[in-house]
Amino acid sequence: MPDTKFFVRRAAVLGAGVMGAQIAAHLVDARVPTVLFDLPAKEGDKSGIVRKAIEGLKKLQPAPLAGGETAALVQAANYDEHLPLLAECDLVIEAIAERLDWKLDLYRKVAPHLGPQAIFASNTSGLSIASLAEALPPELRPRFCGVHFFNPPRYMHLAEIIPCGDSLPAVLDGLERFLVTTLGKGVVRAKDTPNFVANRLGVFSMLATIANAEKFGIRFDVVDDLTGPRLGRPKSATFRTADVVGLDTFAHVVKTMQEGLAQDPWHALFRSPPWLARLIEAGALGAKTRSGIYRKKGDELRVLDPVSGEYVEAGRKADDGVVAILKLEDPAEKLRQLRASEHPQAQFLWSSLRDAFHYSAHHLQDIAHSARDVDLAMRWGFGWKLGPFEIWQAAGWQQVARWIEEDIGAGKALASVPLPAWARDPERKGVHFPAGSYDPAGDELVGPSTLDVYRRQLSPDTVLGAGRAALGETVYENPGVRAFSTGDGILAVSFKTKAHSISPDVLNGINRAIEIAEERFKGLVLWQPEPPFSVGANLDSLRSALAAGDWQGIEGIISLFQKTSMRLRYSAIPTVAATQGYVFGGGCEFMLHCDRTVAALESYVGLVEAGVGLLPAGGGCKELALRAARESKGDLFASLKDYYMLIATAKVAGSGIEAQEAGYLRPSDVVLFHSGELLYVAKQQALALHEAGYRPPVPGRRFPVAGRTGAASIKGQLVNMLEGHFISRYDFEIGSRIAEVMTGGDVEPGTEVDEEWLLALERRHFIELLGNSKTQERIAHTLATGKPLRN
């Protein structure tokens, strides 16, 4: 394959099981038409197995499909009738069951049909890529490799690329570019060893956790309370993760380690515990069968007691003293106290961490090209906040190494093999440095990939210890925002508040940044280095002003909010919102008023004010009413009602694609799959608008509203919902006020108004709702619980 641009016009996925179907879903989300293959059905439509899998994608949660229309891009196929379609595919991914003999049989069948340009990849989670390559003709092997997605493929950031001995560098580079930019993945190139990097270490960590839980007598639900967010891990922690992955899948990966790693010093650990084997035999496979380590009995969640084999009431929590240790900010003191404590839960945690450090150090040279790849693989593939080497280095390399060696000598570790010499080097301070991360194979520091695609990531993921200077030169800063130059004429603005909520400091900061941008820059980008984009207005400060009775101050803040939105719309320079994560309330309103939005796929967009008893008053009602007027083709009400429902139901789009389908994003806005590229693409959009001779919209233009007739129609539908007990009386009140604003108030249908007219209606109805005790109850309940109140 020549070293030219690799472009995937069409892809194929072989295998329509859970993983294959979801890989196909992610491909079509990225607008890559995909042929999904499976065995021919024995009866009826020969592609019936695949059609059933495609329908199943629409029901899965979390949703593998990011939009309502993307499933149509998946073409159902079977191996009997449709193999010639493979010749049209630039990328073919095999994702059938983890049986080497089955995979080899399939390879012999499909190889003659692959096009001369196609990359052929296996999504195996741990089988030898070299062994798989042996079934391929010699001319295909240079275009063959492993590409291991993690489940669920849409949401898990990691993708491992595993070359075979013949894989061409150009093939691997082309595939990596595609995975990064088109599919939004964090790529780690793994060595061809059983289970590669993330599964090798992640499954070992789970097995070590299970073994230490048994040793110290820790209940499964307590283990999950200890090894979830308290330890910097996902909420699913250990045993819930096994349920989510599937106990049969987990057991299969363990078996792969048992069979393929006979010389591993920890080999005795690579077995499924008896309780796991019993669950699998009984068909209790975890979340997919609604019964596994956890199961529900009525409304009660129960957890397995591995000793009795019975389910007991779940919900036990970690000891308060151990939790207090985990809350310590100093990593060295945290590990010291865990190791020194005599509490079984503390000993369990220290032992589990120690064994993960020990295993990672021993096998680093075998499985990865640097310590950086190990830590990023665990963060991206298993959701760890920090990888094992990052935790070790942060806690003091030499001290932790001595503790590990002492435990090995005392027979406390899971294996007696010593730490490798490089890890025991008395001069070693860690494995991550600004110059790169340590690779014991070459006894050198290795920097991040220099592949051109990574130049698009202006604020890339990095590892603790590698160092990273603040992005750009700070031009302006206040307690709410930092505005910095990107170096090519664009001013970027990031919020400094918790969850990037919008406070008066944020509002004043944006206004000042716009002034600076108009004087000295070509455009302005609203961008956050980490999600969310914004959870909206700071409700706590709003409640404080309410408690003080400062109505004048509240109205002033709302006016400033609206002024800020309008300045984003009418400034002399182009404005671009770069969104990821929650884009709620006021954050959504800012986005709506920018000239362009670049939204990460995982942007969850919504005007959610109705959930706390309010309505959007930063220009959100006005903006969607304006869009309805401009999009209407003779029937303003028909255009308006869908926008009205977005606000009245506090509808949150589940992806950037869904936000575009709903109308939060315009057809001209960009949905991007890799959030690390947001700033790069957003500033390119701003520069393009500038270079095209940007002129802001003309302010003061008038547009028609639906008037009192439109409001009456909406209220009539609300009455039906109220009488049917679908909404509460206060929901009716809020919905009626939203209708009043969006239809322009007490005016004739078709009356032309300007934006200021609707903004004034927003302010008035917002203030009146805020003064209602039921809205105040909703705000208090949301702040206390994080959940909406229906009163």
Side-chain angles (χ1 to χ4, degrees):
M1 180 181 182
D3 190 9
T4 57
K5 180 180 177 182
F6 173 63
F7 185 77
V8 182
R9 292 172 178 81
R10 198 178 195 195
V13 176
L14 310 180
V18 173
M19 198 65 183
Q22 291 196 67
I23 292 171
H26 195 57
L27 285 163
V28 296
D29 280 344
R31 298 297 190 268
V32 179
T34 300
V35 187
L36 180 59
F37 282 84
D38 211 303
L39 295 168
K42 294 179 180 178
E43 296 179 0
D45 178 5
K46 281 195 171 185
S47 298
I49 293 173
V50 176
R51 296 192 197 283
K52 184 178 179 180
I54 295 170
E55 286 304 307
L57 289 171
K58 302 173 185 178
K59 303 170 187 175
L60 280 178
Q61 292 297 327
L65 292 165
E69 302 170 5
T70 52
L73 295 176
V74 183
Q75 180 179 350
N78 65 80
Y79 300 126
D80 275 5
E81 299 177 307
H82 301 119
L83 286 178
L85 293 175
L86 292 173
E88 306 167 13
C89 298
D90 301 293
L91 174 64
V92 178
I93 299 172
E94 170 269 308
I96 68 170
E98 291 286 88
R99 283 273 302 268
L100 182 63
D101 53 342
W102 291 0
K103 289 179 186 287
L104 297 182
D105 284 346
L106 179 61
Y107 288 10
R108 296 183 187 99
K109 183 184 295 185
V110 302
H113 298 276
L114 298 175
Q117 82 292 349
I119 291 178
F120 185 41
S122 173
N123 182 58
T124 177
S125 60
L127 295 179
S128 166
I129 300 302
S131 297
L132 292 171
E134 290 175 2
L136 299 172
E139 64 273 16
L140 180 54
R141 292 174 192 169
R143 293 180 280 120
F144 177 72
C145 64
V147 55
H148 180 210
F149 292 90
F150 279 67
N151 189 22
R154 172 183 161 186
Y155 300 95
M156 297 307 295
H157 189 53
L158 179 64
E160 294 173 319
I161 292 179
I162 312 96
C164 71
D166 296 319
S167 300
L168 283 175
V171 166
L172 302 176
D173 289 349
L175 180 59
E176 184 165 352
R177 292 185 185 99
F178 173 77
L179 291 171
V180 171
T181 287
T182 305
L183 299 188
K185 296 302 170 190
V187 171
V188 167
R189 294 203 188 185
K191 295 182 179 180
D192 189 10
T193 56
N195 290 349
F196 315 129
V197 179
N199 268 354
R200 178 76 172 271
L201 299 180
V203 173
F204 169 84
S205 180
M206 292 176 71
L207 289 171
T209 299
I210 292 169
N212 284 309
E214 181 179 354
K215 177 180 178 180
F216 292 101
I218 313 298
R219 283 172 50 118
F220 288 179
D221 50 353
V222 176
V223 168
D224 279 352
D225 190 48
L226 286 165
T227 60
R230 299 189 195 281
L231 200 61
R233 311 273 173 86
K235 290 181 180 179
S236 57
T238 300
F239 292 106
R240 288 182 189 276
T241 294
D243 269 351
V244 170
V245 168
L247 299 185
D248 54 340
T249 302
F250 177 65
H252 177 81
V253 177
V254 172
K255 186 179 180 183
T256 300
M257 296 175 74
Q258 186 181 53
E259 294 176 348
L261 297 169
Q263 304 306 312
D264 193 302
W266 285 263
H267 185 261
L269 186 69
F270 304 156
R271 59 179 179 80
S272 293
W275 56 262
L276 178 59
R278 287 195 297 269
L279 287 176
I280 294 172
E281 186 177 352
L285 305 180
K288 58 189 173 186
T289 62
R290 300 186 179 181
S291 180
I293 297 170
Y294 289 90
R295 76 176 182 190
K296 274 195 171 183
K297 185 177 182 181
D299 292 332
E300 182 186 59
L301 183 66
R302 301 180 73 81
V303 64
L304 182 72
D305 176 354
V307 177
S308 67
E310 301 296 323
Y311 286 89
V312 298
E313 184 178 353
R316 293 272 185 92
K317 299 296 182 183
D319 174 78
D320 290 342
V322 177
V323 170
I325 296 174
L326 290 175
K327 288 182 178 178
L328 294 172
E329 293 188 6
D330 181 0
E333 183 63 14
K334 183 185 299 184
L335 262 61
R336 188 194 69 78
Q337 289 198 26
L338 287 175
R339 186 169 188 265
S341 172
E342 294 183 359
H343 197 288
Q345 293 179 16
Q347 285 296 300
F348 155 74
L349 283 171
W350 159 251
S351 298
S352 298
L353 288 167
R354 174 204 63 214
D355 293 330
F357 299 156
H358 189 188
Y359 194 80
S360 299
H362 183 83
H363 286 295
L364 172 58
Q365 180 171 333
D366 305 331
I367 65 174
H369 296 288
S370 76
R372 179 180 187 273
D373 287 346
V374 165
D375 282 341
L376 290 181
M378 294 309 298
R379 281 161 49 179
W380 294 343
F382 278 78
W384 291 17
K385 187 176 181 180
L386 294 174
F389 291 123
E390 291 178 290
I391 299 170
W392 182 349
Q393 182 168 329
W397 188 274
Q398 289 298 323
Q399 179 61 76
V400 174
R402 283 194 293 272
W403 286 339
I404 296 170
E405 284 287 288
E406 289 172 11
D407 281 10
I408 294 169
K412 295 180 179 179
L414 289 175
S416 60
V417 62
L419 283 173
W422 65 263
R424 290 181 279 115
D425 183 345
E427 301 299 318
R428 179 160 298 284
K429 304 298 183 184
V431 289
H432 299 307
F433 304 94
S437 294
Y438 186 64
D439 174 18
D443 190 26
E444 60 182 349
L445 296 180
V446 177
S449 171
T450 58
L451 199 63
D452 53 2
V453 70
Y454 294 107
R455 292 198 288 270
R456 297 166 58 89
Q457 297 180 20
L458 303 184
S459 182
D461 279 339
T462 189
V463 286
L464 193 69
R468 179 166 63 182
L471 182 62
E473 178 186 352
T474 300
V475 175
Y476 167 78
E477 192 166 13
N478 76 357
V481 307
R482 173 180 178 252
F484 61 93
S485 170
T486 63
D488 47 10
I490 300 300
L491 185 67
V493 179
S494 296
F495 303 171
K496 295 161 57 178
T497 49
K498 183 179 179 181
H500 305 135
S501 62
I502 300 167
S503 64
D505 284 328
V506 170
L507 296 171
N508 288 322
I510 293 174
N511 278 281
R512 178 59 185 139
I514 291 172
E515 291 174 5
I516 294 169
E518 288 178 329
E519 294 169 1
R520 297 163 45 190
F521 290 86
K522 298 175 181 178
L524 180 139
V525 171
L526 297 180
W527 168 82
Q528 319 295 0
E530 299 288 342
F533 178 73
S534 175
V535 295
N538 187 324
L539 287 177
D540 207 19
S541 64
L542 192 64
R543 185 173 63 166
S544 298
L546 184 64
D550 185 11
W551 290 102
Q552 185 175 356
I554 291 171
E555 188 159 6
I557 292 173
I558 302 306
S559 296
L560 179 58
F561 220 124
Q562 292 181 339
K563 173 189 173 185
T564 306
S565 293
M566 295 295 277
R567 287 207 69 184
L568 287 168
R569 165 61 50 79
Y570 292 109
S571 64
I573 39 88
T575 58
V576 179
T579 68
Q580 59 175 320
Y582 298 142
V583 190
F584 286 171
C588 179
E589 289 173 300
F590 286 166
M591 180 202 79
L592 291 171
H593 284 82
C594 286
D595 294 298
R596 191 68 48 86
T597 294
V598 178
L601 177 69
E602 302 309 331
S603 290
Y604 311 118
V605 184
L607 293 167
V608 297
E609 287 84 350
V612 290
L614 294 168
L615 55 74
C621 294
K622 176 272 302 178
E623 181 60 22
L624 293 191
L626 174 60
R627 289 190 182 186
R630 290 179 175 169
E631 294 168 9
S632 66
K633 298 178 180 179
D635 190 345
L636 175 57
F637 183 74
S639 181
L640 179 70
K641 64 181 182 181
D642 288 340
Y643 283 124
Y644 167 81
M645 290 301 293
L646 289 179
I647 297 177
T649 62
K651 166 70 175 177
V652 175
S655 70
I657 293 172
E658 202 173 291
Q660 207 157 33
E661 293 173 350
Y664 286 126
L665 299 183
R666 296 155 292 205
S668 59
D669 291 331
V670 177
V671 177
L672 197 66
F673 273 53
H674 200 300
S675 61
E677 298 180 347
L678 276 173
L679 181 57
Y680 172 84
V681 175
K683 70 186 185 72
Q684 295 302 122
Q685 292 283 320
L687 287 169
L689 288 169
H690 168 80
E691 295 299 331
Y694 177 80
R695 295 284 302 175
V698 178
R701 294 178 65 180
R702 301 174 72 83
F703 56 94
V705 291
R708 64 177 72 92
T709 302
S713 296
I714 292 173
K715 290 178 184 178
Q717 295 177 36
L718 291 175
V719 168
N720 292 335
M721 294 175 72
L722 178 63
E723 291 180 349
H725 304 291
F726 295 107
I727 61 174
S728 70
R729 289 196 174 277
Y730 199 55
D731 290 331
F732 176 84
E733 171 76 10
I734 298 164
S736 297
R737 287 179 178 271
I738 295 169
E740 288 278 347
V741 175
M742 295 190 72
T743 58
D746 190 17
V747 297
E748 291 291 327
T751 299
E752 292 195 345
V753 302
D754 60 15
E755 290 175 274
E756 291 299 331
W757 177 271
L758 292 189
L759 290 174
L761 287 173
E762 281 187 359
R763 288 195 303 275
R764 176 168 69 83
H765 285 282
F766 182 93
I767 296 293
E768 290 175 0
L769 283 170
L770 189 59
N772 192 299
S773 61
K774 290 189 178 293
T775 285
Q776 294 167 23
E777 289 170 8
R778 289 192 177 196
I779 291 173
H781 185 270
T782 299
L783 288 172
T785 68
K787 298 177 181 179
L789 172 68
R790 295 291 300 278
N791 58 352

